[in-house]
Amino acid sequence: MKRLWIADVHANLRAFEAVLDDAGSVDEIVFLGDIVGFGPHPSACLELLRRIEARAAVGNHDSSIAARRGRAPRLSTPVDWDEWTLSQLTREQLAYLASLPEALSISSDGREIVAMHHPPGAPYLHPAMPDDVLAAHFKGVSGAEVFCGHSHRAIDRRVEGRRLVCIPAVGQSRNGDVRAGYAIEQDGELQFRFVSYDIEQVVRDIEAIGLPEPFGTRWIGFLRKGYDAVWSREWPPHEEAATLSASGAVLGRSKA
């Protein structure tokens, strides 16, 4: 069994297509949420997700868009990504987003994996989190193995007898590596992979939307750098780091 794990496409069709091409033929595709949001191709990405017949869980951006009533009018001057995204989707596409489950049960090489976008109530997870901090965020989720997205970073840790995995983002890198991320699982072994794509074409597609400044410039910079001052913060935040230092706490690190 060869399985493709993807998450956080964020309406970036070029990155999505690059991942599918790079992954090649697989037996199953599992998508862990956020097909839309903060990107220029929401409708095309949603249709591609359906066409590849991925098993899909809902993401927070998917839920946010689906929760809006009806369909927004097409806008001459969009003011934010959610408003613009809503204007691009049909009612049928919104119904599809609303139909996605919060979690999936995946059978893999004799193991059961709980697959979801993100543990309820947890912050963005980070590879530098100590084991006890990371484990605490999964306490409300059952299962010996939990796979999620949302944090846009690669994590594969065994903590307190459980395996906790975060799949890196397809369409919105946050760690300075601008490539699209995904994972391949084959015969129970998981490998994170990253692939380059045509970022400048996505930039041109964003520019064509006409997002107001400096909003549009911020998201174009995000794509080109794989970094944003707000969304790419390292762990722990400065104020938490000061508290840990004062208390003599030691941060644990492991491979991403």
Side-chain angles (χ1 to χ4, degrees):
M1 163 69 81
K2 183 180 180 182
R3 179 180 289 113
L4 169 62
W5 290 90
I6 51 178
D8 298 286
V9 169
H10 284 288
N12 186 335
L13 182 63
R14 314 303 170 189
F16 195 3
E17 291 174 333
V19 162
L20 295 178
D21 287 344
D22 194 62
S25 178
V26 297
D27 300 302
E28 184 176 62
I29 300 173
V30 181
F31 175 66
L32 300 182
D34 279 357
I35 190 66
V36 298
F38 298 157
H41 317 116
S43 180
C45 285
L46 196 152
E47 289 307 309
L48 179 54
L49 180 68
R50 298 172 71 179
R51 191 159 65 248
I52 63 177
E53 299 182 334
R55 296 187 62 183
V58 72
N60 58 298
H61 286 281
D62 306 325
S63 295
S64 176
I65 296 298
R68 298 198 180 197
R69 297 287 182 179
R71 184 183 179 195
R74 291 194 174 272
L75 307 168
S76 58
T77 307
V79 296
D80 64 37
W81 277 122
D82 277 2
E83 185 176 354
W84 181 82
T85 297
L86 186 64
S87 76
Q88 304 301 301
L89 302 179
T90 67
R91 289 189 177 89
E92 194 272 337
Q93 288 174 323
L94 292 169
Y96 169 77
L97 288 179
S99 74
L100 296 178
E102 295 283 342
L104 304 166
S105 179
I106 306 294
S107 295
S108 175
D109 198 37
R111 300 147 28 237
E112 291 298 320
I113 298 171
V114 176
M116 59 175 51
H117 184 60
H118 195 238
Y124 288 103
L125 305 175
H126 195 283
M129 284 180 167
D131 285 354
D132 58 340
V133 173
L134 190 61
H137 294 313
F138 285 86
K139 283 187 176 178
V141 182
S142 61
E145 296 197 29
V146 180
F147 282 42
C148 64
H150 187 65
S151 293
H152 296 225
R153 296 180 186 263
I155 302 173
D156 188 355
R157 300 264 285 276
R158 293 192 179 275
V159 180
E160 298 181 2
R162 307 175 71 195
R163 187 186 187 191
L164 311 175
V165 174
C166 287
I167 304 299
V170 170
Q172 190 193 91
S173 174
R174 293 182 179 175
N175 64 352
D177 183 342
V178 298
R179 296 175 298 171
Y182 68 101
I184 289 290
E185 182 190 7
Q186 190 157 16
D187 300 326
E189 295 294 324
L190 188 74
Q191 180 185 41
F192 295 125
R193 295 184 181 179
F194 299 87
V195 60
S196 298
Y197 67 95
D198 190 348
I199 292 173
E200 291 308 310
Q201 180 58 60
V202 183
V203 167
R204 290 190 289 271
D205 294 340
I206 291 176
E207 290 173 336
I209 295 171
L211 294 170
E213 297 294 343
F215 188 76
T217 298
R218 176 189 180 189
W219 292 105
I220 288 172
F222 203 162
L223 281 174
R224 285 174 168 162
K225 300 174 184 176
Y227 176 86
D228 179 81
V230 174
W231 299 112
S232 298
R233 288 176 295 180
E234 293 298 315
W235 195 92
H238 293 305
E239 61 274 14
E240 189 170 353
T243 300
L244 288 168
S245 178
S247 66
V250 178
L251 300 184
R253 291 180 177 268
S254 70
K255 294 181 180 179

